């Protein structure tokens, strides 16, 4: 088995969970089997898609076709947005420049991006599985209009590629009617689990990310998890700790403390995955669900001077995962002439990456001293292989946590409810399709 590019250390996770207490409600092994079965049965597809060479080829071919454009506007929201953004901002590739929008209707935010784009050198990738999401489609029609103005109506179709459902949806229909290119999101892969489908892989490949290495890391992590280990796999243990601290000790705030600014967007991807998957009203047996962790993102060392006071001395209602990076390429050092400045005497001449490691370790130890439950994920370095593995780590942990909470981690009825109400309000405001019986808000 090849050495994994990430590791998980949980010796301080037990905290005050009794030594004899099992860390998970149903047996961890059963939950592992249940998640495995979701994939073997084809109900979920985000592990199997990693091996689909034909699918990967279709994405790479599309990326090649669109590589003549120096810029790509990527439009999407939630699961159709956060994954590509996360990897792009962690790796900072240098081929096609990606611009992200379609995740807001805040006019200033939309204009900030659309006004800055050089439209004559730009293509558009609009991503929506349902094919009708308001924020994304509103931005798309504005973007298309700008493209038309710049390059002429006839040349627009060759600059638009839609990533959407393989069979249904208004976006798919529009793409077929107008002759736009289409990439498919497999039916059995939901938005927040779709970063390693065309949703993430197409824009990332276009930008110059090595998507084969991303998949390599993902496959390594998946295969390691699928191996029959005598003891529970560390991903299963990770999920079990999160669930146990909430259900046994009411620690329902899950903090991801990332010690690298370039992992901030990644943390936001995790935040959506965790929140949208695990915040559910009912359990699978139909009973009311009383649990649901609140994910919180912190970035070190910045947030040592923001949230750490609360973490250290505030209510004991949180658990912590540190995400640290072993190797940094940048060679920056504190100049040695800082020695004459007394507060810097010990630090002068040291590498910034060593300061960063000392700050992460110091904070970790202080929280451990305060008896906070705390674990650590270590990435060898920030590259495609590590990030691919980290994505699968969290997707599997989410699926496992769903099993342990006994909820469906793969639907999002709460999000849908908000979408339906927004559409109704917009319809009411515009004064059409209003009937006297229709509620006013
Ligand atoms: O994870 C999810 O399912 C959601 O966050 C969706 O990705 C998000 O609502 C966007 O949906 P769509 O891809 O249909 O535009």
């Amino acid at each position: 088995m090849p050495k994994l590019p990430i590791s998980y250390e949980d010796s301080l996770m037990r905290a005050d969970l009794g030594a004899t207490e099992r860390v998970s409600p149903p047996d961890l092994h059963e939950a592992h089997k249940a998640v495995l079965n979701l994939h073997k049965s084809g109900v979920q597809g985000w592990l199997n898609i990693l091996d689909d060479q034909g699918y990967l080829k279709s994405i790479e071919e599309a990326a090649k076709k669109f590589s003549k454009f120096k810029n790509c506007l990527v439009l999407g929201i939630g699961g159709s947005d956060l994954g590509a953004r996360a990897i792009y901002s962690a790796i900072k590739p240098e081929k096609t420049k990606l611009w992200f929008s379609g995740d807001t209707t805040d006019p200033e935010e939309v204009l900030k991006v659309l006004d800055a784009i050089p439209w004559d050198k730009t293509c558009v990738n609009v991503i929506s599985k349902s094919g009708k999401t308001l924020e994304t489609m509103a931005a798309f029609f504005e973007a298309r209009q700008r493209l038309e103005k710049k390059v002429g109506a006839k040349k627009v179709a060759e600059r638009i590629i839609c990533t959407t459902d393989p069979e249904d949806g208004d976006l798919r229909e529009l793409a077929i009617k107008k002759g736009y290119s289409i990439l498919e999101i497999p039916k059995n892969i939901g938005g927040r689990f779709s970063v390693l489908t065309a949703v993430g892989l197409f824009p990332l490949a276009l930008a110059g990310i090595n998507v084969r290495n991303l998949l390599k890391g993902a496959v390594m992590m998946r295969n390691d998890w699928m191996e029959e280990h005598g003891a529970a796999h560390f991903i299963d243990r990770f999920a079990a700790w999160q669930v146990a601290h909430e259900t046994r000790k009411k620690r329902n705030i899950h903090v991801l403390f990332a010690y690298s600014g370039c992992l901030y967007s990644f943390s936001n991807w995790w935040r959506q995955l965790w929140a949208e998957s695990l915040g559910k009203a009912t359990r699978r047996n139909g009973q009311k669900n009383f649990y649901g962790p609140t994910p919180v993102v912190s970035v070190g060392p910045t947030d040592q001077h923001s949230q750490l006071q609360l973490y250290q001395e505030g209510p004991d209602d949180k658990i912590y995962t540190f995400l640290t990076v072993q190797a940094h390429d940048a060679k920056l050092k504190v100049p040695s002439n800082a020695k004459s400045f007394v507060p810097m005497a010990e630090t002068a001449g040291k590498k910034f990456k060593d300061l960063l490691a000392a700050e992460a370790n110091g904070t970790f130890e202080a929280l451990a001293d305060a008896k906070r439950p705390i674990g650590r994920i270590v990435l060898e370095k920030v590259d495609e292989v590590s990030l691919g593995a980290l994505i699968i780590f969290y997707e599997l942990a989410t699926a496992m946590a769903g099993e342990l909470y006994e909820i469906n981690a793969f639907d999002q009825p709460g999000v849908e409810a908000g979408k339906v109400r927004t559409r109704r309000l917009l319809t009411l405001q515009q004064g059409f399709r209003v009937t006297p019986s229709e509620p006013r808000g």
Side-chain angles (χ1 to χ4, degrees):
M1 195 55 91
K3 186 177 172 296
L4 289 172
I6 67 174
S7 59
Y8 173 59
E9 198 250 288
D10 63 351
S11 58
L12 297 171
M13 277 308 293
R14 184 172 288 281
D16 55 355
L17 287 180
T20 53
E21 276 184 300
R22 284 163 42 203
V23 289
S24 61
D27 183 51
L28 205 48
H29 190 62
E30 287 305 311
H32 184 107
K33 272 204 313 212
V35 174
L36 204 55
N37 278 339
L38 286 174
H39 292 277
K40 284 193 174 152
S41 62
V43 171
Q44 289 297 316
W46 39 272
L47 288 184
N48 298 333
I49 196 77
L50 306 176
D51 301 317
D52 190 334
Q53 292 304 312
Y55 182 66
L56 176 61
K57 229 167 154 220
S58 68
I59 295 167
E60 287 178 331
E61 274 164 14
K64 202 165 161 211
K65 181 171 151 202
F66 280 80
S67 64
K68 60 185 172 200
F69 303 107
K70 294 219 164 358
N71 299 269
C72 179
L73 170 63
V74 183
L75 299 170
I77 191 167
S80 290
D81 167 47
L82 292 163
R85 241 185 234 260
I87 307 299
Y88 184 70
S89 63
I91 308 253
K92 303 177 192 74
E94 283 172 354
K95 262 175 82 192
T96 302
K97 179 177 163 72
L98 302 186
W99 304 73
F100 291 94
S101 187
D103 64 330
T104 181
T105 41
D106 176 338
E108 279 82 19
E109 287 297 309
V110 175
L111 285 177
K112 199 162 77 188
V113 178
L114 299 198
D115 282 353
I117 289 177
W119 288 101
D120 53 331
K121 301 186 188 87
T122 299
C123 62
V124 175
N125 178 207
V126 51
I127 308 169
S128 176
K129 183 150 192 218
S130 64
K132 60 179 183 200
T133 300
L134 176 69
E135 299 85 345
T136 304
M137 295 315 297
F140 170 70
F141 282 104
E142 175 61 22
R144 189 178 72 171
Q145 186 162 287
R146 288 176 184 232
L147 258 187
E148 265 170 12
K149 271 196 192 136
K150 195 73 193 176
V151 303
K154 282 196 186 129
K155 291 209 166 140
V156 163
E158 69 188 40
R159 289 172 179 246
I160 296 177
I161 180 159
C162 306
T163 308
T164 191
D165 189 274
E167 289 162 19
D168 309 309
D170 297 305
L171 178 58
R172 186 178 175 83
E173 256 178 48
L174 178 75
I176 292 169
K177 192 164 140 208
K178 297 281 185 184
Y180 304 150
S181 299
I182 300 178
L183 285 169
E184 296 178 347
I185 312 168
K187 279 249 179 247
N188 57 359
I189 304 180
R192 57 196 175 275
F193 290 85
S194 70
V195 50
L196 298 177
T197 70
V199 169
L201 296 182
F202 170 75
L204 293 173
L206 197 58
I209 299 274
N210 187 333
V211 295
R212 286 187 176 250
N213 276 350
L214 206 54
L215 291 170
K216 184 175 157 192
V219 166
M220 278 164 80
M221 190 74 259
R222 177 200 65 186
N223 291 354
D224 195 81
W225 177 82
M226 282 168 87
E227 277 287 303
E228 274 304 321
H229 293 271
H233 191 274
F234 65 81
I235 296 179
D236 298 348
R237 289 203 320 269
F238 173 88
W241 290 123
Q242 318 292 308
V243 176
H245 278 285
E246 177 172 12
T247 53
R248 313 276 169 87
K249 299 290 174 187
K250 296 198 168 70
R251 294 189 179 106
N252 62 344
I253 299 175
H254 294 182
V255 177
L256 178 60
F257 216 138
Y259 267 80
S260 176
C262 77
L263 294 174
Y264 176 64
S265 286
F266 183 88
S267 307
N268 285 337
W269 170 82
W270 161 77
R271 187 176 61 163
Q272 188 234 358
L273 179 71
W274 208 243
E276 212 166 288
S277 303
L278 302 178
K280 299 292 157 67
T282 39
R283 289 164 64 186
R284 277 197 309 259
N285 62 10
Q287 284 173 0
K288 191 166 166 41
N289 176 38
F290 295 101
Y291 302 114
T294 299
V296 171
V297 167
S298 296
V299 175
T302 312
D303 290 332
Q304 288 173 203
H305 300 262
S306 160
Q307 294 154 298
L308 185 58
Q309 171 61 37
L310 173 74
Y311 297 167
Q312 194 71 30
E313 295 188 358
D316 186 9
D317 53 1
K318 307 172 195 64
I319 61 175
Y320 305 87
T321 305
F322 274 48
L323 179 57
T324 57
V325 180
Q326 245 167 6
H328 291 263
D329 288 337
K331 303 269 183 280
L332 189 65
K333 273 186 182 175
V334 180
S336 47
N337 63 9
K339 217 179 190 135
S340 55
F341 181 68
V342 174
M344 294 296 286
E346 302 298 321
T347 317
K350 292 215 159 84
K351 293 181 182 143
F352 269 68
K353 69 172 187 152
D354 294 331
L355 305 188
L356 182 66
E359 297 206 68
N361 290 338
T363 308
F364 187 93
E365 283 175 17
L367 282 169
D369 282 351
K371 305 265 179 289
R372 305 306 193 189
I374 178 165
R376 187 195 317 242
I377 299 170
V378 181
L379 252 66
E380 259 175 20
K381 61 191 290 210
V382 178
D383 66 2
E384 285 92 339
V385 179
S386 298
L387 290 172
L390 193 59
I391 286 168
I392 292 297
F393 175 98
Y394 271 119
E395 289 184 348
L396 279 170
T398 305
M400 281 295 297
E403 283 303 317
L404 298 172
Y405 282 118
E406 297 173 37
I407 49 125
N408 179 356
F410 304 103
D411 62 359
Q412 54 284 328
V415 181
E416 299 306 329
K419 285 185 184 179
V420 168
R421 279 171 182 267
T422 302
R423 283 204 181 268
R424 200 175 60 204
L425 285 172
L426 284 170
T427 308
L428 289 172
Q429 275 171 22
Q430 285 168 10
F432 56 87
R433 275 198 260 154
V434 180
T435 62
S437 59
E438 202 152 4
R440 303 232 156 227

